[in-house]
Structures are given as C-alpha cells and as structure tokens.
Amino acid sequence: MANFVEIKRLSEHVGEEVTVKGWIYNKRSSGKIKFLILRDGTGYLQCIVFKGNVSEEVFELSGNLAQESSVSVKGKVKAEPRAVGGYELDCTDVELIHQSQEYPITPKEHGIEFLIDHRHLWIRSKKQVAILKIRHRIIKAIRDFFDDRGFTLFDPPIITPNAVEGTSTLFETEYFDLGKAYLTQSGQLYAEAGALALGKVYTFGPTFRAEKSKTRRHLTEFWMVEPEVAFYDLNDDMDLAEEFIEYVVQTVLKDMKVELEILERDTTSLEKVIRPFPRVSYTDAVEILKKKGHEFEWGNDFGGADETIVSEEFDRPVLIHRYPAEVKAFYMKRDPEDSSLALAVDMIAPEGYGEIIGGSQREDDLDELLKRIKEHNLPQEFFEWYLDLRRYGSVPHSGFGLGLERTVSWICGLDHLREAIPFPRMIYRNTP
Ligand code: 4AD
Ligand code: MG
C-alpha cells in the first residue's frame, strides 16, 4: 500500500490524518489562511493552511507555491459540502516535491493553437481530464459490450500490403525488399477472416487515413472498433449497432455524471439514445433533403452538411441504409432487390456530429467479389487470401466500424476531434 491517499478516496478517511500528493491547481490567500487547490488526477481538494497550525516555513512555502508545483500535504480530512469535491484538508504540513517554473497555461483564455502546442500540459486541465476519463469509460463500455456477448477480441495487423477503404488515403512506407507497405485504414478484411474462424470477433485499435480534408471530424490517426459476425445480414448488423450505441451512451450517462457536468454537457439529447433508432434508406434520405429544399442528386455521397440536415429530422441517431454501390467500398454486397445499391449502413449521430458508424453486409460470392476487385482496379494477388474466405465455406457475414474519437466528441459535446484523443494527429500537425 502506498503511503498516501487518492483524493477520490478521501470519503473513507473523514476525521483521519492523511497524506495527499499532487499538484497545485490554484491557490488564494486571505490573511492568516492560504487555500491550496490540489489536483492528483483522481479529483480536486481544497487544502487549508492556517498560520496557527503549521510551522512558519510551511506557511511561507504555501504562499510561494507556483501553479503546477508538486507537493505532499498532510492534514485532517473534513467533510465540507461547499468545497470542490466535498472534502477539505486541514493541513499540518506541506512538503515541496518540485517548485514549478512559470506555467504557460494560466486561467486566462489561450488560443487553440497555443493549447495544442502545449497538449502535453493542456491535458492537466479540468476539462481535458474529464474528456480523457470519459474516453476511457467509453473504451471499457465498448469492450464490455462485446466481451459480454461472446465476441473474441481479434487484433489485425497495422502494416498491410493493400488498401481496404480505397487507395486515396493511404500512408505509404518502404518495406524492406517487399516493396511498398501501408498503414491500415481498417482491420475489417482481417476481422472477416476472424469471423469465419471464431464466429463473432471485434478489432479495436488505431487506424490511419491520409485524409486531405481539414475538418473538425477528421484525424489522420484514429481508433476504430470493428465487430464482424458470421451469418449476420444487414438487418442483424443494424440491430447490433443500435444495441451497442444505446449501451455505450447510457453507460457513460450513468457512470460519468461528474465529468459530464465539468464539461457542461446538456445531456437531454443523449438521454433519448434508446432503441429503436429510426432507419431510412438512402433514397428516402435524399427525399428528406429535397423536401427541406436542398438540392441533391441521387447517386452522390452525402457530405457532412447533408448528414446533419437528415439527422435533424430525428431525435436520436439515425441509420441510413442501402447506398448507391458506386459511392461505397468494393467489399459490400449488392442488394438482391436492386443491384445498383450496396447493403451498406451509416449511423448518423444527432446534434450535427455526423457519421459515427459505417458498416455493411459483405460480398460472400467469389465471382461477384472478383468482379468488384477488377472494377476497382485493385491488385488481385494481394486479395487472394481474402478471396479464400469465399472459396472455403463462405457464409453471409456483416460488420461495422465505430470511430472512437467521433463518439467521444459527440458524447462530450466537443467542437473538434482534436480534444477526444491524448495527442491528435491531423493533416497540419504531428506534434507534440
Ligand atoms: O466508414 P468507414 O470508412 O468504414 C470502415 O472503415 C469499415 N471498414 C468499417 C467496417 O465495416 N468494419 O469508417 C468507420 C468509422 C466512421 O464512421 C467514422 O466514425 C470513423 O470510422 N472515421 C474517422 N474518424 C476520425 N477521423 C477520420 N479520418 C475517420 N474516418 C473514419
Ligand atoms: Mg464511412
């Protein structure tokens, strides 16, 4: 056992003398009293340094502590409903661990570029800590959801010989004598092999897109979770996506109240994320756009603005299915009712957060898939192993991918994906 107590566990120590270690978040003074606000990553604590209770040196030190100095404080725990976190420490000792230099991030307003330049320090701020904790809770909810339903976590490679989602957004690298290799855009093709081996699998890891788009919804490195299930058709896939999103959102609402409050997140819209979600076909979604007076030609892909307009018709996430095959990936199965359509689905989050899920039923017929690979000018030799899945006991199967940062950004109510990941990678930024 460590010889200090975490702030979030102080409720178990009321009336006791304890040691707390952390950093000076803020401080003020009034005559004979110094108020130190300590943060330790688990919470915030007001420490009262009263001149009469400590040595002269300790009282002086307490006045000289710079923001973000690290300290070890000793004192008696008191319940104090008016204090941050609900507890207070009546200090008997304050020990300096390290006196901070002038801290660049002060309580005043800083520009966003300045803050991202100092991301390694910015993550100490109250809101950033809350976001990173919610991100962690979302990751755990995602894993619990699939683990509890008999899915096996299946880790795909990150270095790959081919594109999954189209060749325009690949990060390329030289790979010894084997020529070019690429950073994966998605683990899906490997997840399909996993599903035919294990039935239900999910991948969860970083994926890469050399996106030229400089938008609030795009990172070049982002985390994706991709379930893939043998014998599931598009409807089963949509049912799974719906149950999954309901679970993740409701879990965060239940467990992360304090953090959502710190972010001043109005949760009214999140509370409505309860099944069933509305489902509309792409064709019906185009009609919604036209009815609302927006010009849109059937056959085009939706842009972020179009998605928002469609989603505003509904009070919860909406599933848009059966897109024109032309705008979707090569591996998607065609609709047997209309071969110009792909059995695809996107889930659009409310409040303008756009596409959070993309998925589909996969083409399971060898000849059809060969045809698509040729149409898309993809090098067949790299896909032979993938084609084998259609040669040896092919079955209908489906899956989807959820973008983690888009989900964090939506649930936290953020303006931009850059705050949804510890160190964002974007087209104009790969530091710190
Ligand atoms: O729609 P996408 O491209 O689908 C796939 O990658 C499929 N292979 C998934 C599957 O069926 N297994 O990407 C899936 C999700 C998007 O809905 C979005 O949430 C997120 O990944 N995403 C991004 N997030 C951040 N930055 C980017 N540049 C993203 N591109 C996609
Ligand atoms: Mg997509």
Side-chain angles (χ1 to χ4, degrees):
M1 284 298 281
N3 61 349
F4 60 93
V5 176
E6 289 172 338
I7 291 175
K8 75 159 187 233
R9 311 210 71 135
L10 284 175
S11 61
E12 299 160 25
H13 297 273
V14 176
E16 290 171 33
E17 167 128 309
V18 299
T19 299
V20 179
K21 298 186 181 188
W23 296 262
I24 300 294
Y25 193 69
N26 213 338
K27 66 167 209 257
R28 67 198 164 83
S29 93
S30 124
K32 290 187 167 74
I33 308 180
K34 310 276 183 214
F35 299 92
L36 308 176
I37 307 293
L38 211 65
R39 60 161 198 93
D40 74 345
T42 77
Y44 300 83
L45 170 67
Q46 174 157 282
C47 305
I48 313 286
V49 185
F50 180 62
K51 203 171 184 337
N53 291 348
V54 295
S55 71
E56 211 155 290
E57 296 80 62
V58 166
F59 190 72
E60 198 185 312
L61 170 69
S62 301
N64 293 335
L65 288 169
Q67 186 187 346
E68 285 303 312
S69 294
S70 45
V71 294
S72 171
V73 299
K74 201 189 277 181
K76 199 161 163 190
V77 184
K78 219 170 70 182
E80 174 49 76
R82 286 168 304 175
V84 276
Y87 298 91
E88 237 175 35
L89 201 72
D90 260 329
C91 288
T92 51
D93 197 13
V94 178
E95 217 175 278
L96 181 64
I97 298 172
H98 178 253
Q99 178 73 276
S100 177
Q101 298 180 22
E102 198 163 324
Y103 193 63
I105 303 175
T106 56
K108 73 162 198 214
E109 282 285 313
H110 293 284
I112 185 69
E113 285 307 313
F114 178 88
L115 289 170
I116 310 197
D117 281 341
H118 293 84
R119 183 66 179 162
H120 49 293
L121 302 176
W122 187 25
I123 52 175
R124 300 181 186 191
S125 306
K126 209 173 203 170
K127 286 196 174 173
Q128 300 306 314
V129 167
I131 294 166
L132 293 175
K133 287 195 173 171
I134 291 174
R135 177 187 167 101
H136 170 78
R137 189 65 191 89
I138 290 172
I139 291 171
K140 184 165 153 45
I142 288 170
R143 297 204 42 166
D144 288 345
F145 178 86
F146 291 116
D147 294 350
D148 292 348
R149 283 162 184 74
F151 283 70
T152 301
L153 179 64
F154 185 80
D155 302 314
I158 283 174
I159 297 172
T160 61
N162 54 262
V164 183
E165 292 299 320
T167 48
S168 64
T169 62
L170 285 170
F171 279 109
E172 208 176 275
T173 176
E174 288 303 321
Y175 196 81
F176 306 107
D177 295 336
L178 299 180
K180 292 202 187 322
Y182 307 94
L183 295 183
T184 190
Q185 299 161 310
S186 152
Q188 180 199 316
L189 305 190
Y190 295 95
E192 289 183 51
L196 271 59
L198 295 149
K200 299 191 279 190
V201 298
Y202 69 104
T203 69
F204 199 176
T207 49
F208 305 85
R209 307 262 169 114
E211 297 271 8
K212 297 283 172 354
S213 27
K214 189 188 171 220
T215 82
R216 58 169 77 197
R217 291 179 187 165
H218 289 92
L219 297 172
T220 54
E221 177 180 325
F222 65 98
W223 282 62
M224 185 161 34
V225 55
E226 296 181 272
E228 189 74 30
V229 190
F231 307 109
Y232 265 30
D233 64 13
L234 181 67
N235 269 329
D236 300 325
D237 204 32
M238 291 198 276
D239 291 345
L240 181 70
E242 214 176 54
E243 189 187 353
F244 173 53
I245 292 302
E246 178 190 84
Y247 177 80
V248 170
V249 171
Q250 296 307 320
T251 300
V252 174
L253 285 178
K254 175 166 66 67
D255 289 356
M256 306 305 285
K257 287 200 173 68
V258 172
E259 287 74 13
L260 289 166
E261 242 164 64
I262 289 172
L263 297 173
E264 297 168 50
R265 177 68 165 116
D266 177 352
T267 56
T268 324
S269 163
L270 295 175
E271 277 149 28
K272 293 189 191 129
V273 181
I274 301 284
R275 285 176 290 166
F277 298 172
R279 298 182 184 187
V280 296
S281 68
Y282 166 89
T283 304
D284 289 344
V286 171
E287 285 313 309
I288 292 176
L289 283 176
K290 286 187 177 158
K291 193 184 75 196
K292 292 182 135 186
H294 294 272
E295 275 191 32
F296 190 90
E297 205 182 315
W298 194 101
N300 291 335
D301 202 359
F302 292 136
D306 307 312
E307 288 170 356
T308 300
I309 293 163
V310 174
S311 75
E312 278 167 356
E313 282 286 281
F314 307 99
D315 68 349
R316 59 199 76 198
V318 54
L319 295 151
I320 305 179
H321 56 84
R322 292 180 172 77
Y323 283 74
E326 294 285 314
V327 303
K328 289 291 185 186
F330 77 96
Y331 53 72
M332 293 186 181
K333 193 173 178 65
R334 299 291 172 102
D335 186 350
E337 314 265 288
D338 179 348
S339 64
S340 71
L341 299 176
L343 293 176
V345 60
D346 279 359
M347 190 189 288
I348 314 301
E351 302 177 86
Y353 281 93
E355 179 197 328
I356 49 168
I357 280 181
S360 68
Q361 185 168 337
R362 321 306 188 188
E363 184 52 72
D364 51 338
D365 180 81
L366 179 63
D367 293 330
E368 285 293 316
L369 188 57
L370 272 167
K371 217 159 80 190
R372 303 283 171 265
I373 288 175
K374 292 206 175 81
E375 280 168 11
H376 283 81
N377 288 320
L378 296 167
Q380 191 186 319
E381 65 273 23
F382 288 130
F383 289 93
E384 283 302 331
W385 70 265
Y386 185 65
L387 291 162
D388 271 355
L389 307 178
R390 279 77 182 164
R391 293 187 179 108
Y392 306 107
S394 187
V395 295
H397 61 287
S398 304
F400 62 80
L402 171 84
L404 176 64
E405 290 74 17
R406 289 206 189 161
T407 308
V408 172
S409 179
W410 165 43
I411 293 179
C412 291
L414 308 179
D415 295 337
H416 197 297
L417 250 52
R418 64 193 158 208
E419 291 181 54
I421 187 166
F423 293 95
R425 295 292 175 254
M426 294 166 288
I427 175 164
Y428 295 116
R429 176 173 293 275
N430 60 7
T431 55

